Amino acid sequence: MRIILFLLLLLLILMLIFVSSEVLNKKSKIAIFILGALIVGFVYVYNEFESNHANSRKALLEQFWQGKTIKCGKFDVNNTTFNYENGTESFVAKREFVNLSGVILSLKECSEK
């Protein structure tokens, strides 16, 4: 993703250099460049944030699949009492545990124990 953002910024710079001064004056070119650089910067920051968030969710799931216990709200979640639902990214209590009947916990609520 970084390469794509860099290439987009480079393309923007090249376009601004080769556009004649009759079409865009120097102030307009600078304003367009700053706006483009800000957009690329925001996309980069957002992408890094999402990547870090995805890595932390992946680490929690790895612990769950290894049989370790993770904390989700007031519940201790492990693979003996809960199943993981991939589509909704949530943990659902297994049927044989009547005291946990109907409990559904989002992966977003979970942290390492």
Side-chain angles (χ1 to χ4, degrees):
M1 184 68 169
R2 292 179 190 172
I3 294 172
I4 293 171
L5 291 174
F6 174 75
L7 291 175
L8 284 174
L9 191 58
L10 184 63
L11 180 64
L12 178 67
I13 292 169
L14 290 174
M15 285 174 48
L16 291 175
I17 289 172
F18 290 113
V19 170
S20 70
S21 296
E22 295 172 1
V23 177
L24 286 174
N25 62 18
K26 190 173 184 177
K27 286 184 182 179
S28 296
K29 287 182 180 182
I30 291 171
I32 291 171
F33 172 74
I34 291 173
L35 182 65
L38 284 174
I39 290 171
V40 167
F42 285 130
V43 169
Y44 175 77
V45 169
Y46 175 77
N47 187 42
E48 286 298 311
F49 173 76
E50 283 299 315
S51 177
N52 291 339
H53 192 64
N55 288 339
S56 67
R57 287 191 313 249
K58 183 179 175 184
L60 283 173
L61 281 176
E62 286 174 357
Q63 289 181 353
F64 174 78
W65 291 121
Q66 290 172 359
K68 297 177 182 173
T69 301
I70 58 176
K71 188 76 172 167
C72 295
K74 62 180 182 175
F75 294 97
D76 291 333
V77 176
N78 57 40
N79 61 5
T80 57
T81 55
F82 285 87
N83 289 322
Y84 177 70
E85 296 297 325
N86 208 16
T88 57
E89 291 189 340
S90 59
F91 297 102
V92 178
K94 292 183 178 180
R95 291 179 192 235
E96 56 263 19
F97 296 97
V98 179
N99 60 336
L100 296 173
S101 180
V103 174
I104 300 173
L105 304 167
S106 174
L107 181 59
K108 295 176 185 176
E109 301 171 1
C110 300
S111 62
E112 294 182 31
K113 187 169 182 182

